[in-house]
Amino acid sequence: MKNRLKVERAEHNLSQADLADRIGVSRQTINSIETGRYVPSTILALKLATVFGKAVEHIFTLEETD
Amino acid sequence: MKTKWLFPHRFRLIGWLIFVPSAILGLAALYVDFKISWLTANWLSESITILSGNSVGHVTENQDLTDEVAAIGIIIGLLLIGFSCEKVEDEMIGQLRLEALQWSVYANYIILAIAILTVYDMAFFNVMIYNMFTVLLVFISRFRWLIYRNNHTVLAL
């Protein structure tokens, strides 16, 4: 699964720690999602989408291998 | 997403404070026959009749509870260490915990299978004593390693 988390963060001028604070996870979790090492649950994906005011599909997209 | 069935974060320290003395007590009881005198249970005493030649004697043996206390202490300590929340407990930590648990069960039974094939008689009894705690010990080691590696990867980026 690909994601645009880093781009969205840059657009909203948020650090990994800021974003982690907003949705109640650790900075390591945000980092792991951005680098594709961790695939978040639906709840976490929806929380992230809410922070950026976008649809989940705008931030996370399936790859052919998924 | 909340992870269920976990103790509060501060219980991890309490776990270590219970585990370390219990483990030392357990090893002392196992290898140097160390006993705590006030842990002797009179109510569990048994009378043994000894026949020696023509004479008959009765000996009362009290049950010593040192190793029982040590074993229970080790179990409680390891459970608290392994299943207390992290400072920031989130779903990724929950996943790492479950992966570590699965890994430790596999590792434990592979080691046990090897021990079954290679260790016999009373030596195997020793293996079983350690085996009572190895699932939790391997789980905790693996979990801490995964968390360390995860934090290290973040720093390296």
Side-chain angles (χ1 to χ4, degrees), chain A residues 25-26 28-29 37-38 41, chain B residues 90-92 95 150-151 157:
Chain A
V25 297
S26 68
Q28 284 87 343
T29 301
R37 283 181 293 121
Y38 177 66
S41 70
Chain B
D90 62 21
E91 60 179 51
M92 191 180 72
Q95 185 176 311
N150 194 48
N151 293 348
L157 285 169

Side-chain angles (χ1 to χ4, degrees), chain A residues 27-28 37, chain B residues 146-156:
Chain A
R27 192 173 63 84
Q28 284 87 343
R37 283 181 293 121
Chain B
L146 288 179
I147 286 181
Y148 168 79
R149 204 180 59 181
N150 194 48
N151 293 348
H152 206 70
T153 314
V154 171
L155 286 173

Side-chain angles (χ1 to χ4, degrees), chain B residues 1-102:
Chain B
M1 201 161 75
K2 297 258 180 200
T3 315
K4 287 180 182 173
W5 317 115
L6 292 177
F7 301 104
H9 178 62
R10 65 178 185 281
F11 277 55
R12 196 164 90 198
L13 177 64
I14 298 170
W16 279 110
L17 293 176
I18 296 171
F19 168 68
V20 173
S22 301
I24 293 168
L25 182 65
L27 289 171
L30 190 61
Y31 290 106
V32 292
D33 209 21
F34 176 77
K35 286 176 181 161
I36 297 175
S37 55
W38 51 268
L39 280 177
T40 303
N42 298 322
W43 67 93
L44 288 172
S45 62
E46 53 182 329
S47 194
I48 300 166
T49 306
I50 298 170
L51 294 169
S52 173
N54 292 328
S55 60
V56 180
H58 295 281
V59 176
T60 304
E61 277 201 355
N62 292 327
Q63 176 67 47
D64 172 67
L65 293 179
T66 306
D67 48 352
E68 278 82 355
V69 168
I72 298 293
I74 292 170
I75 290 170
I76 292 171
L78 288 176
L79 284 175
L80 292 179
I81 295 166
F83 297 102
S84 291
C85 288
E86 292 300 297
K87 260 186 190 152
V88 181
E89 178 75 30
D90 62 21
E91 60 179 51
M92 191 180 72
I93 295 290
Q95 185 176 311
L96 291 182
R97 184 181 283 108
L98 283 178
E99 281 174 8
L101 194 55
Q102 184 180 22

